[in-house]
Amino acid sequence: MITAAAPPPPQVLLKMKELGFNVTHGYGLTETYGPATVCAWKPEWNSLSPDEQAKIQARQGVHHIGLEDVDVKDSESMKSVPPDAKTMGEDIIISGGENISTIEVESVIFSHPSVLEAAVVGRPDDHWGETPCAFVKLKDGSNASANEIIKHCRDRLPHYMAPRTVIFDDLPKTSTGKTQKFVLRQSQSHRKCSKS
C-alpha cells in the first residue's frame, strides 16, 4: 500500500502494520505529475523496534526510476540543502529562533487516545514571531480539552514545541484527502497572540 502527502504519524503506520499492510510512504506533486519520491526500505531497519521503524517509514526522499533527479532548495536562497536527514524543509515553525517540526508535534498529538486527526501550523505571535497552533478532530465519543492536548504535548516534547492554541474542528481537505494546511495557516494569519 502506498500513502503520500504529509508523512503519516508513526501511530497510524504501526496500526496499519498490525492490520497486515506493508505501507510505503511517497511524496508527489499531484498538481504537476504525481508520485515522485518514496521511502526506500533498507533490510537493516527490520531489526529496529516497531516505533523506530514507523518513524523511518514516515520519511521519503529517494526518487523513483522515472525521475532523473530530485533536489530540495532553501526557499530564500534557492540553494540546495544538504541531504543529511537533519536540515529542515519549509514545513517548520520558527518560534523565538527555535525550529519546530510540525510533523513531530502532530505525531505527539496523534498519540493522544482521543485524537482522530491533527494538523499543526504557525500562528503569528507578537513576542515569539510565531507559535504552534494545533487543529484537532476528536474520535467519535471522545472528549479532550485544549489544556489536556497541550499538557500531553508538554509531557513529551520540549516546552517551546507544544501548541499554545488548540482548535477543535474538521480539517479542510483536498478531494484526495490531503489536509490543506495553507487554509489553516490563512485562518490564523490575522490572529496574533499578544501574550504567550
Side-chain angles (χ1 to χ4, degrees):
M1 174 178 218
I2 294 178
T3 182
Q11 294 79 9
V12 171
L13 291 171
L14 283 170
K15 187 66 176 172
M16 294 296 290
K17 188 170 187 173
E18 288 172 10
L19 294 171
F21 291 95
N22 182 12
V23 180
T24 298
H25 182 234
Y27 172 80
L29 296 174
T30 307
E31 302 84 357
T32 60
Y33 173 67
T37 62
V38 298
C39 174
W41 194 256
K42 296 182 179 181
E44 58 264 31
W45 294 339
N46 291 332
S47 62
L48 297 174
S49 72
D51 189 53
E52 285 300 312
Q53 285 184 20
K55 286 179 184 174
I56 289 171
Q57 202 172 9
R59 301 186 312 198
Q60 83 304 96
V62 177
H63 63 80
H64 67 69
I65 197 164
L67 288 179
E68 182 176 331
D69 198 13
V70 172
D71 198 8
V72 178
K73 305 280 189 181
D74 179 279
S75 60
E76 290 183 20
S77 70
M78 290 310 291
K79 292 185 178 178
S80 299
V81 300
D84 57 9
K86 294 177 184 168
T87 304
M88 292 283 189
E90 69 176 304
D91 262 345
I92 62 165
I93 296 167
I94 301 173
S95 184
E98 297 282 357
N99 290 346
I100 300 171
S101 165
T102 57
I103 293 165
E104 189 173 354
V105 179
E106 288 165 3
S107 177
V108 170
I109 295 170
F110 267 105
S111 73
H112 190 285
S114 295
V115 172
L116 178 65
E117 297 178 345
V120 174
V121 298
R123 181 176 185 182
D125 185 278
D126 289 337
H127 181 73
W128 299 109
E130 56 184 350
T131 57
C133 176
F135 289 83
V136 174
K137 181 174 182 179
L138 298 176
K139 294 176 183 174
D140 286 343
S142 295
N143 58 6
S145 68
N147 286 338
E148 186 179 336
I149 299 293
I150 292 168
K151 181 182 181 326
H152 180 80
C153 291
R154 286 184 176 167
D155 289 346
R156 292 160 178 79
L157 292 167
H159 184 83
Y160 69 90
M161 291 181 74
R164 304 217 175 189
T165 309
V166 177
I167 298 169
F168 295 97
D169 203 353
D170 287 334
L171 277 59
K173 295 195 172 85
T174 65
S175 60
T176 58
K178 181 178 178 181
T179 300
Q180 294 178 308
K181 283 193 170 183
F182 76 93
V183 173
L184 300 176
R185 277 191 290 273
Q186 288 172 350
S187 76
Q188 295 306 303
S189 64
H190 67 283
R191 296 179 177 176
K192 281 199 173 186
C193 299
S194 55
K195 292 185 179 178
S196 305

